Amino acid sequence: MNKKPNIRSLSEEELKDFFVKHGEKPFRAKQVYEWLWKKNARNFDEMTNLSKDLRTFLDKHFSIPHIKIKHFQRSSDGTIKNAVNLQDNLIVESVLIPTDTRTTACVSSQVGCSLDCKFCATARLKRMRNLSPDEIVDQVVEADLQSKEYYGHPLSNIVFMGMGEPLLNYDNVMSAIEKITSDKALGMSPRRITVSTSGIPKMIRKMADDNPRVKLAVSLHSAIDDIRTEIMPVNARQGGLKELLKALQYWYDKTKSRITFEYLVFKGINDDERSIKALVDFAKKVPSKVNLIEYNPIDDSDRFQQADDKVLDKYQQALKEAGIISTVRRSRGKDIDAACGQLANKINLD
Ligand code: SAH
């Protein structure tokens, strides 16, 4: 690995300090920052409004590491999955999902995951480390390039639904969002970004206070404590549904942004009337909508099976009667293991 420090780990202020310390004009920081974050320069030679000497000087002090797409797969429905090589050669996956009107990038925030959601393939990978802000931004930059190349239009939406729990890498995820949305960098609208969490109440509150103006999705999957804890042990560790609800109400009070609940319906687990009623009661307590998502099998075990369509209809009917909007989300990219919960670095890279 390159031993020179990564210049993209410096803020614009820190860059300014560096230039001033070395007898350069402070405005150089603004120029270099733009090259790094807006024009996506891969080396110092691209920075043509700096003198040759200054470029050589920067190159002596810093590196500009960049993620590399190590492996690329395209599904029959157009979904693209990338195996992304990070700065230390660890690998995460990112997914690009096209629809008629938009392209959504699904980005990773951690290598592996420390949670233990029983239905998720990523949970089987040990959490190795957090991604840095530039590693997260790079996934977006690559997705935007791919969207233009393969679908003919720029990236429109970003969801933090790849590998990892974004709220357990809070500072780096917020710093990446700042770069993605800032006019000095990628300049995308925060309303097109969704942070998806398994539900970490303390961090939901913190994000409400910091208010990056992004949308919040919560992977709920059950509104009954015992069942949720059984399939998502993080539930009990974080104080259960009561604490989650309080944090979500706090989020809504602060941001006035409606929450999306992600909800899988499993045969014999949460496909009964009691589960339906519990979800309706829970969702009524905070402005929200529900995405009923399709389960993507992650192995051959039959512990988890997608419930019948008629159960989904019952869920939708009950939600509708309570005035709660719901949609049924069919999976994309299943044939290449790119669908929700299937990201597990399965490809053989040798
Ligand atoms: N840790 C975050 C983001 C990653 S998971 C979170 O929990 O929200 C992204 C979404 O995929 C979550 O809603 C998760 O519950 C869902 N998911 C996980 N495994 C799945 C599977 N096998 N099939 C369908 N969705 C799954």
Side-chain angles (χ1 to χ4, degrees):
M1 214 181 41
N2 207 320
K3 294 257 161 35
K4 291 183 282 188
N6 175 358
I7 191 166
R8 290 198 296 170
S9 61
L10 269 56
S11 65
E12 194 177 342
E13 250 345 275
E14 288 166 332
L15 273 178
K16 208 181 269 176
D17 292 347
F18 173 84
F19 281 118
V20 170
K21 195 173 134 209
H22 290 89
E24 279 289 340
K25 297 269 185 296
F27 74 85
R28 295 286 176 214
K30 185 166 180 278
Q31 290 179 315
V32 170
Y33 193 87
E34 247 188 28
W35 277 111
L36 294 173
W37 295 106
K38 195 174 197 141
K39 302 183 198 157
N40 194 29
R42 311 262 172 145
N43 61 63
F44 293 103
D45 259 344
E46 287 179 40
M47 304 184 180
T48 44
N49 57 356
L50 308 183
S51 69
K52 181 86 187 109
D53 282 354
L54 186 52
R55 283 183 258 161
T56 312
F57 174 75
L58 285 174
D59 192 42
K60 227 181 254 163
H61 281 81
F62 296 110
S63 61
I64 318 178
H66 203 280
I67 61 164
K68 287 190 193 71
I69 306 283
K70 177 115 187 175
H71 190 88
F72 164 100
Q73 280 170 290
R74 207 168 164 191
S75 152
S76 52
D77 65 19
T79 302
I80 289 173
K81 180 165 87 167
N82 297 302
V84 168
N85 213 349
L86 301 174
Q87 293 157 17
D88 53 3
N89 283 324
L90 287 173
I91 286 171
V92 291
E93 292 174 340
S94 72
V95 179
L96 201 58
I97 309 146
T99 63
D100 289 344
T101 50
R102 58 187 193 188
T103 313
T104 302
C106 175
V107 298
S108 292
S109 56
Q110 298 182 312
V111 186
C113 190
S114 59
L115 306 180
D116 188 21
C117 303
K118 302 299 178 195
F119 46 81
C120 179
T122 308
R124 296 177 181 182
L125 304 174
K126 202 173 132 249
R127 178 194 161 282
M128 307 285 282
R129 69 168 172 85
N130 287 333
L131 263 62
S132 60
D134 51 310
E135 287 171 331
I136 296 170
V137 173
D138 280 355
Q139 292 175 67
V140 174
V141 169
E142 292 296 337
D144 186 45
L145 291 172
Q146 287 180 332
S147 180
K148 287 174 187 151
E149 183 176 349
Y150 293 96
Y151 316 130
H153 50 81
L155 183 69
S156 55
N157 295 72
I158 300 166
V159 293
F160 281 85
M161 293 188 188
M163 294 174 154
E165 168 50 52
L167 294 191
L168 293 180
N169 182 16
Y170 184 81
D171 290 346
N172 291 353
V173 167
M174 287 303 124
S175 166
I177 289 173
E178 197 274 318
K179 304 254 163 29
I180 294 165
T181 54
S182 157
D183 285 337
K184 290 178 177 177
L186 301 187
M188 287 181 70
S189 162
R191 299 306 296 161
R192 291 174 175 275
I193 302 176
T194 300
V195 172
S196 176
T197 178
S198 58
I200 315 287
K202 191 172 143 210
M203 302 316 290
I204 291 172
R205 286 169 191 271
K206 177 149 178 47
M207 189 158 79
D209 290 336
D210 295 342
N211 197 2
R213 302 189 328 279
V214 296
K215 293 188 186 162
L216 178 66
V218 174
S219 301
L220 191 62
H221 306 320
S222 175
I224 299 172
D225 267 313
D226 290 351
I227 299 178
R228 189 165 194 263
T229 296
E230 192 189 313
I231 58 177
M232 299 178 70
V234 62
N235 185 58
R237 290 202 302 276
Q238 294 293 334
L241 290 159
K242 195 164 153 247
E243 289 307 314
L244 178 59
L245 181 63
K246 279 198 269 174
L248 295 177
Q249 287 166 333
Y250 184 83
W251 163 271
Y252 187 79
D253 285 345
K254 285 263 168 171
T255 66
K256 296 288 171 278
S257 168
R258 190 169 63 168
I259 293 141
T260 300
F261 291 120
E262 311 281 349
Y263 200 96
L264 290 159
V265 188
F266 299 115
K267 233 175 230 170
I269 294 177
N270 58 355
D271 61 351
D272 55 339
E273 294 292 342
R274 184 171 157 250
S275 289
I276 296 176
K277 184 172 179 321
L279 174 62
V280 170
D281 289 346
F282 192 85
K284 270 201 302 206
K285 293 193 178 110
V286 64
S288 55
K289 62 174 180 152
V290 175
N291 276 347
L292 297 166
I293 54 182
E294 189 183 354
Y295 172 59
N296 303 303
I298 55 166
D299 58 21
D300 295 335
S301 106
D302 55 11
R303 177 169 181 197
F304 294 108
Q305 284 172 34
Q306 172 67 34
D308 297 335
D309 277 354
K310 62 175 195 301
V311 180
L312 296 189
D313 292 345
K314 277 194 194 164
Y315 262 101
Q316 284 209 286
Q317 189 55 34
L319 289 163
K320 195 172 162 196
E321 277 162 20
I324 299 157
I325 295 173
S326 69
T327 47
V328 174
R329 282 279 158 89
R330 298 284 164 204
S331 294
R332 306 285 306 271
K334 255 193 198 173
D335 55 338
I336 54 168
D337 282 338
C340 281
Q342 290 188 313
L343 302 184
N345 292 348
K346 258 209 266 182
I347 32 183
N348 182 358
L349 294 164
D350 297 330

